[in-house]
Amino acid sequence: CCPHLPEENCSCRKPETGLLQKIEKNYGSPLENSFFIGDKESDIVCATRYGCIPLLVKTGYGIHALSSKLCPPQEQCFDNLSAAVSYVLKAWVGLIVMIYIRSLSFYLVYVASAVLAGLIGCFVGPFLNLRLRLKMLSIWPRFSNWVLYKTCNIRIKVEGEENIPKGPFVIVSNHQGQWETFFYQYYLEF
């Protein structure tokens, strides 16, 4: 919570968004499209400014905020905190189901394409020189990452690209996994 008085005009006092920025920084999780439950007009303004979904509870100061032009739609106004939390939990159940369906869709395409790429690699690969074989084999990782983006909306951002040397080098990953192996194959274009 903000320890400052209103006349101090600090950036962490609502309706300013400083507290939300601190939360994002401390926990490393974006708050955009998160639910923001409050009972004042300043809560609604803060949530809206930061891209959160404002939920108004009518307890406390909430009854006064209902008359505000900034009041969220009626379906986002609740009699008490318990009702608002129930709404959030129901929304999250739908989100979890959607994540499961999207993940399942990815893995179905991923496995089917792995079998297909493996068969093509076994039958065509021996007849290609090493350079063409690596080029051909990098198509599947590229495709897998594209499917991951389309089904699960996972985007790739590379930081420090300017530090990658032009000549030969060794890659040391902290948490080497299957994804890094795929990504390196097409990103670095062996």
Side-chain angles (χ1 to χ4, degrees), residues 70-133:
L70 302 170
C71 183
Q74 194 58 38
E75 63 271 6
Q76 289 175 241
C77 297
F78 303 92
D79 290 332
N80 53 43
L81 182 60
S82 177
V85 169
S86 293
Y87 176 84
V88 170
L89 291 175
K90 285 177 188 173
W92 279 355
V93 167
L95 179 64
I96 289 168
V97 168
M98 181 54 77
I99 289 171
Y100 178 77
I101 290 169
R102 292 171 85 174
S103 298
L104 182 63
S105 301
F106 166 73
Y107 277 108
L108 289 173
V109 173
Y110 172 74
V111 169
S113 66
V115 171
L116 182 63
L119 290 172
I120 292 171
C122 287
F123 292 113
V124 177
F127 303 104
L128 301 173
N129 66 36
L130 180 61
R131 190 99 173 125
L132 284 174
R133 196 175 325 145

Side-chain angles (χ1 to χ4, degrees), residues 52-63:
C52 297
I53 301 164
L55 302 180
L56 180 70
V57 289
K58 298 174 188 174
T59 53
Y61 298 100
I63 202 74

Side-chain angles (χ1 to χ4, degrees), residues 4 6 9 19 25 39 47 51 53 57 60 70 87 91 93-94 96 101 108 124 128 138 143 155 159 164 169 171:
H4 304 105
N9 293 324
L19 282 177
K25 184 179 177 187
D39 67 344
I53 301 164
V57 289
L70 302 170
Y87 176 84
V93 167
I96 289 168
I101 290 169
L108 289 173
V124 177
L128 301 173
S138 73
F143 174 74
R155 295 181 175 91
E159 293 181 1
I164 299 173
F169 59 94
I171 299 171

